[in-house]
Amino acid sequence: MSTAYDLTGAADPAAAPGPAPAGAGSAGAGAAWAAADPYDDAVRAGRGPLFLRRADGWLLPLEVERWCARADPADLGILDRCEGTVLDVGCGPGRLVAELAARGRAVLGIDVSAAAVAHTLGLGGQALRRSVFDPLPGEGRWGTVLLIDGNVGIGGDPLALLRRTAALVVPGGLLIAETLPVDVDERAEVEVVGLPQAPGTGRVFPWARLGTPALLGYAGREGWRTAGQWTAGGRSFVALRSRSASSSAEPPKSTAVISSQWSRYPSAERPVADR
């Protein structure tokens, strides 16, 4: 039986997003996900086909069935490494949030897709329809942030995403990210489509694809240090440690911050996976 934590600081986690705040940077890219009907439809159905498509027609299959299934052994290996309270950025249908909640961990998922947030809530997890670039509950107090299923690509600007993540975790906090199992560092404009030849949605947004060497290079520039690298189930992962306030910084605590201390901001954005 999972422990109940109020991590949202919001009365209606699935409320429609408001306008992005000034200076939100890459947050606008996520609005395309929120409006991408093929994605919401696939999540509600629990299956694809679903793709990210570049302007030149190149397709990236999205693994909707895996996202909608229970956490697999590779996922469980990620969750075993989490420290303190956990923020799952681009939580999708919520398999990781639900598994952590079932373990009694304090965890919150954020996603711009209404269908993804609803699915996560239905699994018993806590989730907000919100962008990683928007103001979030508990900023600077998360023990671990997750960027799984290709969500290192959010916004198409890895440096901006790493800076934002650093502002979310405690000093010395942990970022666990999934990378591509090949050496790639690519930025592109993409859209979500349900079929390879489906008409364009007109909602194009920036995305990035990173292998481990590329992510480690960007992370080093932003002051993150490598805490681990591993592969599981054909997938690749990196754990990064943020700057500590001092060399003797205490490890993050697993207790939840009470909700009255956390902000309430409606907003939007949707990261998903890429492979």
Side-chain angles (χ1 to χ4, degrees):
M1 183 174 183
S2 63
T3 303
Y5 297 94
D6 183 1
L7 300 176
T8 64
D12 182 5
S26 301
W33 281 112
D37 295 340
Y39 177 79
D40 273 9
D41 290 346
V43 169
R44 292 188 185 101
R47 62 181 182 277
L50 195 70
F51 303 89
L52 292 184
R53 184 172 66 194
R54 286 193 318 220
D56 63 4
W58 179 88
L59 293 167
L60 178 68
L62 301 176
E63 299 183 74
V64 180
E65 290 84 355
R66 180 171 66 79
W67 302 341
C68 290
R70 296 187 63 176
D72 63 22
D75 296 326
L76 298 180
I78 298 166
L79 304 185
D80 289 343
R81 296 170 187 256
C82 290
E83 301 173 352
T85 55
V86 182
L87 178 67
D88 186 2
V89 174
C91 65
R95 72 188 191 282
L96 303 183
V97 174
E99 176 62 28
L100 283 169
R103 297 182 180 191
R105 297 292 298 272
V107 56
L108 175 68
I110 60 169
D111 206 298
V112 297
S113 163
V117 169
H119 196 282
T120 302
L121 295 172
L123 293 178
Q126 296 193 63
L128 292 174
R129 190 178 176 193
R130 203 165 294 190
S131 166
V132 67
F133 293 105
D134 292 335
L136 293 172
E139 294 201 12
R141 300 194 291 278
W142 294 99
T144 303
V145 169
L146 300 178
L147 290 171
I148 307 303
D149 298 332
N151 286 324
V152 290
I154 295 169
D157 186 341
L159 287 174
L161 185 57
L162 286 166
R163 291 185 197 116
R164 177 58 179 144
T165 305
L168 295 172
V169 296
V170 297
L174 197 64
L175 166 62
I176 301 178
E178 183 170 354
T179 59
L180 288 171
V182 293
D183 188 0
V184 62
D185 182 0
E186 175 186 287
R187 259 53 60 81
E189 297 288 321
V190 298
E191 63 181 335
V192 181
V193 294
L195 293 169
Q197 302 305 318
T201 62
R203 295 184 283 270
V204 176
F205 53 95
W207 199 254
R209 302 174 67 240
L210 301 177
T212 295
L215 179 58
L216 293 181
Y218 290 121
R221 290 166 60 182
E222 291 301 313
W224 294 87
R225 61 182 177 85
T226 305
Q229 299 179 50
W230 70 99
T231 59
R235 300 160 63 193
S236 298
F237 306 94
V238 173
L240 301 168
R241 183 79 61 186
S242 71
R243 291 189 182 96
S244 296
S246 69
S247 59
S248 60
E250 295 182 2
K253 295 178 174 61
S254 61
T255 54
V257 178
I258 61 173
S259 62
S260 62
Q261 293 176 294
W262 298 20
S263 306
R264 297 177 58 184
Y265 299 92
S267 189
E269 194 236 318
R270 162 62 213 166
V272 295
D274 83 284
R275 214 23 93 257

